[in-house]
Amino acid sequence: MKLSDLSHRLAQWLAGTGPLAEIVISSRIRLARNVAGFPFLSRCSEDQRRQIADTLQGAITAAGVLDDPLTVDVEQAVELDRQFLVERQLISRQHAAGSGARRMLANGAETVALMVNEEDHLRMQVLATGLQLESAYETIDRIDDAVEKRVAYAYSGRYGYLTACPTNVGTGIRVSVMLHLPALKMTGEIEKVFQAARDMRLAIRGLFGEGTEAGGDFFQVSNQTTLGRTEKQIIQDFREQIIPDIIQYEKVAREALVDRKTDVIDDKVFRSLGLLRCARLLSTSETLFHLSLIRLGVHLGRIRDLSLQTVNELFLFSQPGHLQKAAGREMTPDERAKARAEMIRAKLN
Amino acid sequence: MNGHKRKCDKCDRPATVHLTEIIDGQKLEKHLCEVCATQEGLTLQPTMGINQMLEEFISHTQQAKQLGELVCDHCGMSFLEFRQGGLLGCPHDYEAFATALVPLLQRAHEGAGEHVGKVPTHAGGDEQRQTQLLRLRTALKDAVVNELYEQAARLRDEIHKLETS
């Protein structure tokens, strides 16, 4: 698998086919691990970083856990490629912006991605479409076992898996779901969700952009506690205590919008569709705003000639790195606005 | 205060409580002795004398200073450096900073201080071996930086021996 093979392809986790995909865009589970006998990265020499990277890459390859593998030397990759990987959620912004020897290994389906030398020596993630936390954990657990047969992890009986930041220590697990909550945002009830999430010690942040409000209707909810609970308990708490409530609130809010404000919601949804079908220049944030409403319209059955998958595709392909990869060159923001509008018109008309 | 002590606004005792209030844009200053301030409900902790407060403050700062002086003998990181950067230097820091770190862990993890999750079944190294490797690798890094090549070669051999044992 090569990086260029991905530029016109939808990542599997964005297929829009998983359970509750109309609200839960994707589920993600990440494990943080470090190689025993080495300092954490802040205290590693460049030589040690490279040794760790080689050790882990060797172990992952030998474990044979990645089908049709894609390996990227992030240190050597050009900025555009790193941005492209961030947009596909194969690496974090931090990994893209880091320095020194660091790598990324993924499977061809892009459901598994392993970052080597990010904040910890190894960060493994599984991404799935819709709400699929248990199966995502099974996959990552199996990969973890296979890698661990070949590399000794830094581990203590008392503190569990030892991580560079004490907020990850213990299980090293981070469970997240990416949610699309346009109706709660529209009815102003989103604050209640934030409050409930905070009460449950979950972190919630805006997605597709910087800051909590960026991108408007997309939110990522993740656990913060990693110590003192088992992986299964953490996932179970997450899946049973808060996420079903948020999903239920959003469903009720969506139904209420259709029942009581049909004309208003139709007006919003079809204005957005009309605008994206005709616009000649589109910024990322404007695109995101309208795609969110279109996505809502598709789920509510107001827009019948588009699928969730097509809308998800547009989310991905309209991002700066993807537009430039598709064009095969770097572009200015003005050029991208034009290319973005062209690509969207072609898909929607 | 210009070298002389201000008297309480209400009596002749020296003023020890100084308050500036802004009401409707008007600045209002009050200077009161401890007794009058208490009567006005202004002192925060009338039960705690100044000596007691100072004592607490000193023991807190001493404790903070002691914690700040904790240094890991494996990676050389101090607890103060960790507090500034937010990231630990090596796995051994969890032991080296335990006194300071445990309360932090409990705060971050809903009161929990111990791992109950997955245990690696195939981990090649016990904790002692991990610690020894870490120490040797740090020594090797220092030896290379200081251009002590003979020492570095010896350390490399030791690491290799331990890795393959």
Side-chain angles (χ1 to χ4, degrees):
Chain A
M1 175 67 65
K2 297 194 301 289
L3 200 56
S4 53
D5 296 339
L6 303 180
S7 56
H8 293 281
R9 209 182 69 174
L10 185 65
Q12 212 182 79
W13 58 270
L14 266 173
T17 51
L20 296 164
E22 68 277 10
I23 294 171
V24 186
I25 296 185
S26 61
S27 305
R28 188 175 71 118
I29 296 197
R30 186 218 69 194
L31 298 178
R33 301 287 186 253
N34 287 277
V35 181
F38 280 94
F40 294 138
L41 291 165
S42 65
R43 289 272 154 170
C44 271
S45 65
E46 193 45 42
D47 199 36
Q48 286 173 328
R49 278 185 82 105
R50 212 160 288 285
Q51 238 182 301
I52 292 164
D54 291 342
T55 303
L56 284 171
Q57 189 174 338
I60 294 161
T61 309
V65 286
L66 300 172
D67 295 331
D68 191 13
L70 168 72
T71 305
V72 178
D73 184 341
V74 180
E75 184 188 13
Q76 299 295 327
V78 295
E79 198 187 334
L80 178 57
D81 284 349
R82 283 182 272 136
Q83 185 180 1
F84 179 76
L85 291 170
V86 171
E87 289 171 7
R88 296 184 85 83
Q89 302 211 7
L90 292 172
I91 65 171
S92 64
R93 281 179 205 279
Q94 189 182 342
H95 203 47
S99 61
R102 59 199 197 286
R103 293 168 202 170
M104 191 283 305
L105 296 96
N107 64 348
E110 297 172 82
T111 50
V112 179
L114 313 178
M115 281 187 285
V116 175
N117 288 348
E118 197 233 29
E119 183 180 290
D120 291 297
H121 298 160
L122 180 61
R123 291 260 172 118
M124 304 177 271
Q125 71 165 22
V126 168
L127 267 167
T129 165
L131 188 62
Q132 300 193 70
L133 292 169
E134 275 81 4
S135 61
Y137 181 68
E138 274 168 32
T139 308
I140 200 77
D141 190 38
R142 193 167 35 79
I143 292 169
D144 184 43
D145 287 345
V147 175
E148 188 230 302
K149 274 185 194 163
R150 292 161 176 88
V151 183
Y153 290 145
Y155 178 88
S156 103
R158 181 172 178 193
Y159 301 114
Y161 293 95
L162 303 174
T163 51
C165 183
T167 53
N168 296 315
V169 78
T171 53
I173 198 170
R174 190 75 72 221
V175 183
S176 335
V177 288
M178 197 205 291
L179 301 168
H180 184 214
L181 306 174
L184 285 175
K185 190 79 188 293
M186 228 179 266
T187 55
E189 288 176 90
I190 197 82
E191 261 311 313
K192 285 187 207 158
V193 172
F194 287 175
Q195 194 51 52
R198 279 192 289 262
D199 289 347
M200 297 295 302
R201 293 184 64 89
L202 298 174
I204 185 158
R205 64 180 184 91
L207 266 189
F208 292 128
E210 306 295 334
T212 50
E213 278 299 300
D217 304 334
F218 296 92
F219 301 92
Q220 180 169 287
V221 185
S222 346
N223 71 303
Q224 288 182 289
T225 302
T226 57
L227 186 67
R229 320 253 322 134
T230 66
E231 291 80 357
K232 293 226 160 108
Q233 282 171 329
I234 290 170
I235 292 167
Q236 200 177 341
D237 288 354
F238 192 79
R239 201 177 56 86
E240 288 177 5
Q241 290 183 7
I242 180 89
I243 299 304
D245 291 345
I246 300 180
I247 292 170
Q248 190 54 30
Y249 293 150
E250 172 67 19
K251 271 188 180 164
V252 170
R254 286 187 187 188
E255 282 159 16
L257 281 175
V258 178
D259 289 348
R260 290 184 223 141
K261 298 195 171 168
T262 320
D263 293 340
V264 178
I265 200 74
D266 274 351
D267 183 61
K268 278 183 193 286
V269 164
F270 286 102
R271 267 173 194 268
S272 287
L273 186 59
L275 192 139
L276 291 193
R277 276 188 169 146
C278 296
R280 270 18 190 196
L281 296 173
L282 283 169
S283 71
T284 314
S285 58
E286 191 183 7
T287 306
L288 218 55
F289 175 82
H290 294 298
L291 280 178
S292 169
L293 284 167
I294 292 173
R295 199 175 191 280
L296 177 67
V298 170
H299 170 237
L300 294 178
R302 315 310 291 175
I303 299 172
R304 292 178 187 281
D305 55 348
L306 283 176
S307 66
L308 277 186
Q309 184 167 339
T310 308
V311 184
N312 284 359
E313 265 178 33
L314 292 177
F315 275 115
L316 188 64
F317 296 156
S318 65
Q319 293 185 70
H322 277 71
L323 287 170
Q324 294 174 82
K325 280 296 270 188
R329 65 184 180 92
E330 284 190 28
M331 291 192 276
T332 64
D334 286 347
E335 288 174 320
R336 293 204 295 267
K338 192 175 172 195
R340 184 177 293 116
E342 273 171 15
M343 183 275 292
I344 291 175
R345 281 205 313 280
K347 285 263 182 197
L348 290 183
N349 288 307
Chain B
M1 234 187 281
N2 301 333
H4 66 274
K5 278 189 178 164
R6 187 188 273 269
K7 278 187 182 171
C8 172
D9 293 346
K10 297 199 164 180
C11 67
D12 279 345
R13 280 186 288 260
T16 53
V17 178
H18 308 279
L19 183 81
T20 307
E21 279 184 309
I22 296 171
I23 300 166
D24 293 336
Q26 293 284 309
K27 198 165 140 189
L28 181 72
E29 285 188 21
K30 281 185 183 175
H31 306 276
L32 300 168
C33 70
E34 213 156 313
V35 179
C36 295
T38 309
Q39 281 169 0
E40 291 230 331
L42 287 177
T43 45
L44 289 171
Q45 287 170 296
T47 50
M48 191 188 269
I50 184 77
N51 285 342
Q52 197 186 341
M53 263 160 42
L54 259 180
E55 224 167 82
E56 286 219 346
F57 175 72
I58 289 168
S59 76
H60 267 129
T61 36
Q62 270 177 346
Q63 203 188 352
K65 206 168 157 230
Q66 279 167 2
L67 293 182
E69 281 168 1
L70 287 176
V71 174
C72 172
D73 62 355
H74 284 47
C75 70
M77 178 169 275
S78 72
F79 187 69
L80 198 66
E81 276 177 273
F82 158 66
R83 285 311 299 258
Q84 283 160 355
L87 295 177
L88 294 164
C90 79
H92 187 69
D93 288 358
Y94 281 93
E95 295 304 327
F97 301 155
T99 44
L101 211 50
V102 168
L104 275 183
L105 288 176
Q106 287 175 340
R107 213 177 313 149
H109 300 284
E110 299 180 75
E114 292 196 11
H115 178 59
V116 295
K118 187 172 176 178
V119 176
T121 44
H122 303 97
D126 52 42
E127 284 177 47
Q128 208 184 346
R129 186 161 163 267
Q130 291 185 16
T131 307
Q132 208 180 339
L133 267 173
L134 191 61
R135 192 178 292 149
L136 286 170
R137 285 203 174 104
T138 307
L140 172 62
K141 191 173 103 179
D142 292 345
V144 171
V145 169
N146 296 316
E147 300 183 4
L148 303 167
Y149 297 116
E150 270 179 44
Q151 197 180 335
R154 188 174 50 76
L155 287 163
R156 251 185 222 112
D157 288 345
E158 272 188 66
I159 291 170
H160 184 70
K161 222 163 80 186
L162 197 60
E163 274 178 335
T164 49
S165 69

